[in-house]
Amino acid sequence: MKFKRTLLITLICILSLSIPTFASNKEKSPIFMGKVLEITKDDKDNSVRVKAKGYVKGCSVYEEELVLIVTKDTEIIVSKCGNEEKHEEVCVGDLIFAKLDKAMTKSIPPQVVAKKIQISKVNK
């Protein structure tokens, strides 16, 4: 009886120590960096679809052409380098850096919601 109780207490201690380890192993959102090729505004769902070609970094880095869906919930990150102005509107030719949602369609090109996006204007 004493052995069973000791075994049960030991198992409970081991499980309670291992639960935070599993819970803290969160999957990170992929990121994207690329050049804007095309912009389509969708008034129906009040979003902007930005077609861009660049690199996605998830578990590995690979080249991809994506359609980023920019919604009212997408955070626009403002560059604070030198004398750059605040840019909230994306244009063809701009460079973008975006934090993506984990869910991505398998369409060609894949579509994904942008959680955060930073727009860099290209000096011409």
Side-chain angles (χ1 to χ4, degrees):
M1 184 69 166
K2 187 175 183 179
F3 175 74
K4 287 183 182 180
R5 192 170 80 185
T6 306
L7 182 63
L8 182 62
I9 291 172
T10 305
L11 285 173
I12 290 172
C13 289
I14 291 171
L15 288 175
S16 66
L17 293 174
S18 64
I19 289 174
T21 304
F22 292 122
S24 66
N25 190 12
K26 294 180 182 176
E27 186 179 329
K28 294 185 179 181
S29 297
I31 56 174
F32 174 80
M33 184 173 194
K35 187 173 186 175
V36 176
L37 303 174
E38 183 181 314
I39 301 163
T40 309
K41 294 184 180 181
D42 189 356
D43 293 329
K44 189 170 88 176
D45 64 354
N46 199 21
S47 67
V48 175
R49 296 183 187 279
V50 178
K51 186 176 184 181
K53 184 169 185 162
Y55 295 91
V56 177
K57 183 188 180 303
C59 294
S60 62
V61 177
Y62 58 94
E63 189 172 9
E64 185 70 78
E65 190 171 289
L66 291 177
V67 174
L68 296 128
I69 302 168
V70 181
T71 65
K72 61 178 173 61
D73 297 327
T74 302
E75 180 183 345
I76 307 293
I77 301 170
V78 179
S79 294
K80 295 181 181 175
C81 298
N83 294 330
E84 285 188 32
E85 297 175 14
K86 183 177 177 179
H87 300 292
E88 289 191 8
E89 191 168 315
V90 65
C91 300
V92 173
D94 289 349
L95 297 176
I96 56 172
F97 181 81
K99 182 176 180 183
L100 308 175
D101 190 57
K102 293 175 191 168
M104 186 182 302
T105 67
K106 292 186 179 186
S107 62
I108 299 176
Q111 298 182 31
V112 62
V113 174
K115 291 181 176 179
K116 295 180 182 180
I117 190 167
Q118 181 176 359
I119 304 162
S120 296
K121 299 292 181 184
V122 177
N123 294 332
K124 295 180 183 178

